[in-house]
Amino acid sequence: MRATSAVTIGVGAAAAVVVGALVQATGAGSAGGGLGAALGMSVPAEYRSLIEEAGNTCPEVSPNLLAALITQESGFNPKARSGAGAQGIAQFMPSTWESEGIDANKDGKRDVWDPEDAIPSAGKHLCTLAGEVKDVPGDKQSNILAAYNAGSPRVIAAGGVPPIEETQNYVKSINALSRQPGGGKTATGTQGTIAVNAAKGEIGTPYSWGGGNANGASTGSCCSPNGSSGASIAGFDCSGLALYAYAKAGISLPRTAAAQYAASEPVRPGQMRPGDLVFYGSSAASIHHVGIYAGGGWIINAPKPGTSVRYDPMDMMSDLYSVARPVPSKEI
């Protein structure tokens, strides 16, 4: 199954923000908790009981693992469709659905677009994969996830997670979500305001690839995907700015945008507030940019080489993935 989010998000550039289907879950716990393992993640209420039941289909799978996987696959969007042809909330390819899909709600049809069928089918499929890769050395959860993404034969042949960049990123992202300590308090409104004010204070500071740390602007490194170097520029890249802004608020964030997403809890559109982080990418594993929500549909961010820290409309990129609020891991 290919991990491609098909969540569509539209944002007004001038005033009100209209966000369609943001991710509603973030991770906690670990797989293999045994039957009866509890769900510690925040998931949409309408799917919670389905996740709890399907995530206890076998001892090798947990509700948190299943919730993190669905977050990655579709952001809990039951109408998600990837360019590769994956369908529904669990992003089943048609051939996989044909063999693994079940009529879990007993309505007489196996419907990949119906979460009441697709979520239990995903739990069953994870258990099938767990059996197929049980003798493969290494981390069992990682091997199961790699099999879900790339297929069991590739995992078996590689003796673990295969050397496929997409699969490796997929496994790392879902592991981070599923194993992140759950139930923690997110950043307060006051901390968000401090972060916004810190970012405002850096407007006009040059973009520097790899630049920025908890103390402020710094020289970066070489090189960005397009070959731009920040080694001679004191400034910020997008995640460096977020890291600095939240350091001023007493919260330590990881260095990269994708890791910052994994260390945050997605929020609903109506609950957005200044200081929330706005992430861009086609999936949790492919997040490539982050900005700091300033209110009114605008973010403060370090956009790209050759620019400086500035305000941009929230829809500055077409692949807005999620808005999330940092979960403090340690105080500075």
Side-chain angles (χ1 to χ4, degrees), residues 128-147 151-162:
T128 298
L129 297 173
E132 292 174 353
V133 300
K134 64 182 177 62
D135 295 326
V136 176
D139 181 72
K140 292 186 180 300
Q141 176 167 308
S142 295
N143 290 339
I144 294 169
L145 292 171
S152 296
R154 287 178 174 173
V155 176
I156 294 169
V161 179

Side-chain angles (χ1 to χ4, degrees), residues 5-329:
S5 172
V7 179
T8 301
I9 301 175
V11 183
V17 180
V18 181
V19 182
L22 291 178
V23 179
Q24 297 297 316
T26 190
S30 62
L35 295 176
L39 175 63
M41 293 174 54
S42 174
V43 304
E46 63 266 36
Y47 303 129
R48 189 171 184 86
S49 62
L50 287 169
I51 293 288
E52 288 177 334
E53 183 173 353
N56 279 298
T57 302
C58 64
E60 294 79 15
V61 175
S62 73
N64 289 326
L65 173 61
L66 181 58
L69 181 140
I70 292 177
T71 297
Q72 167 78 2
E73 290 286 357
S74 73
F76 281 92
N77 176 13
K79 297 181 180 179
R81 185 194 299 267
S82 80
Q87 300 174 335
I89 198 167
Q91 290 290 274
F92 276 98
M93 294 297 289
S95 59
T96 306
W97 179 257
E98 185 62 30
S99 62
E100 293 292 288
I102 58 176
D103 177 18
N105 61 4
K106 308 299 182 184
D107 65 354
K109 60 181 179 179
R110 297 184 304 148
D111 187 356
V112 72
W113 303 106
D114 186 347
E116 292 185 359
D117 286 345
I119 290 174
S121 296
K124 169 182 175 289
H125 185 44
L126 284 170
C127 291
T128 298
L129 297 173
E132 292 174 353
V133 300
K134 64 182 177 62
D135 295 326
V136 176
D139 181 72
K140 292 186 180 300
Q141 176 167 308
S142 295
N143 290 339
I144 294 169
L145 292 171
Y148 198 94
N149 179 258
S152 296
R154 287 178 174 173
V155 176
I156 294 169
V161 179
I164 302 170
E165 184 176 5
E166 177 190 320
T167 301
Q168 292 178 340
N169 288 336
Y170 180 85
V171 170
K172 289 177 182 178
S173 179
I174 297 179
N175 274 335
L177 287 172
S178 69
R179 290 169 174 166
Q180 180 182 333
K185 294 180 179 180
T186 57
T188 65
T190 297
Q191 288 173 312
T193 298
I194 292 172
V196 169
N197 288 337
K200 285 181 181 178
E202 298 301 326
I203 288 176
T205 300
Y207 180 97
S208 174
W209 173 262
N213 55 42
N215 297 316
S218 67
T219 53
S221 58
C222 185
C223 284
S224 72
N226 67 4
S228 297
S229 174
S232 63
I233 303 171
F236 295 97
D237 63 10
C238 64
S239 56
L241 178 66
L243 185 156
Y244 165 71
Y246 266 98
K248 299 294 283 186
I251 293 175
S252 175
L253 288 179
R255 185 58 182 81
T256 67
Q260 289 173 359
Y261 173 71
S264 303
E265 183 165 327
V267 297
R268 299 185 181 189
Q271 297 175 342
M272 288 167 51
R273 67 188 186 205
D276 288 344
L277 298 179
V278 182
F279 295 95
Y280 300 82
S282 61
S283 69
S286 65
I287 287 173
H288 59 84
H289 189 71
V290 60
I292 302 168
Y293 184 59
W298 294 83
I299 63 172
I300 303 172
N301 72 132
K304 58 184 178 180
T307 66
S308 58
V309 177
R310 69 190 188 191
Y311 285 97
D312 275 311
M314 200 171 161
D315 63 350
M316 61 176 290
M317 298 178 184
S318 61
D319 58 349
L320 198 163
Y321 180 71
S322 180
V323 177
R325 189 168 300 150
V327 177
S329 57

